């Protein structure tokens, strides 16, 4: 297993081998392109292959780095500010991999819990709501205990 950042584009999953071709999981998929993918809300069997087309590589790479948020920008820089030629010259040695479903599940569509989705709001929003309720409950219990305390 190898946990990876990913994006869903054009019905497939894309990921990048950030340490280049020597990356163990990348070498493994070259030897055996049949993979099992486990995403937050689905699991499927697919075929993994390095992206050879520079146009496809650029689009997927830019989407991947953007999906990494501040970390991607801090490590790689502004990939949207570079022209295609400069980006290819600088980062093309990092293989981008396309994983296409082969189990009959059809093309993938990005969901709420995939990169760029808003599913992360649910657990964080729930945690904030519970925190607010706990503070309110504690303060109302404290207020009642003050009001019921005998005067000194």
């Amino acid at each position: 297993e190898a946990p990876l950042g990913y994006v869903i584009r054009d019905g497939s999953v894309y990921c990048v081998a950030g340490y280049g071709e020597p990356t163990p999981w990348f070498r493994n998929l070259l030897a055996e392109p049949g993979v099992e993918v486990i995403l937050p809300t689905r699991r499927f069997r697919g075929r993994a292959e390095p992206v050879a087309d520079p146009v496809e590589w650029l689009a997927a790479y830019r989407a991947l780095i953007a999906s990494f948020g501040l970390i991607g920008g801090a490590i790689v820089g502004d990939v949207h500010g570079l022209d295609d030629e400069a980006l290819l010259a600088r980062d093309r040695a990092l293989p981008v991999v396309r994983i296409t479903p082969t189990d009959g599940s059809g093309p993938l569509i990005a969901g709420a819990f995939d990169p760029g989705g808003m599913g992360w709001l649910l657990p964080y929003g729930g945690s904030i709501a519970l925190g607010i309720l706990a503070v309110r409950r504690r303060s109302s219990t404290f207020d009642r205990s003050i009001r019921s305390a005998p005067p000194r």
Side-chain angles (χ1 to χ4, degrees), residues 5-120:
Y6 69 96
V7 292
I8 295 176
R9 297 178 48 83
D10 304 322
S12 297
V13 170
Y14 287 84
C15 52
V16 63
Y19 293 107
E21 291 186 12
T23 304
W25 66 261
F26 180 74
R27 289 194 327 250
N28 289 344
L29 74 82
L30 290 176
E32 176 50 56
V35 296
E36 179 180 23
V37 177
I38 303 169
L39 301 178
T41 59
R42 71 198 93 150
R43 180 182 208 149
F44 67 92
R45 304 255 343 128
R47 178 173 179 77
E49 50 196 343
V51 173
D53 176 48
V55 173
E56 182 182 7
W57 184 93
L58 282 162
Y61 186 74
R62 282 191 166 110
L64 279 159
I65 299 307
S67 78
F68 299 157
L70 294 174
I71 305 269
I75 293 172
V76 178
D78 179 18
V79 294
H80 295 288
L82 289 175
D83 64 42
D84 292 350
E85 198 173 295
L87 188 58
L88 284 168
R90 190 185 82 178
D91 293 349
R92 186 64 167 114
L94 300 175
V96 170
V97 175
R98 177 191 338 96
I99 304 171
T100 307
T102 58
D103 61 1
S105 61
L108 297 172
I109 297 171
F113 290 93
D114 292 314
M118 297 301 219
W120 62 272

Side-chain angles (χ1 to χ4, degrees), residues 126-144:
S127 297
I128 290 169
L130 287 173
I132 290 169
L133 288 173
V135 167
R136 283 186 176 175
R137 183 172 181 189
R138 176 175 248 173
S139 67
S140 73
T141 303
F142 179 72
D143 289 346
R144 280 194 302 260

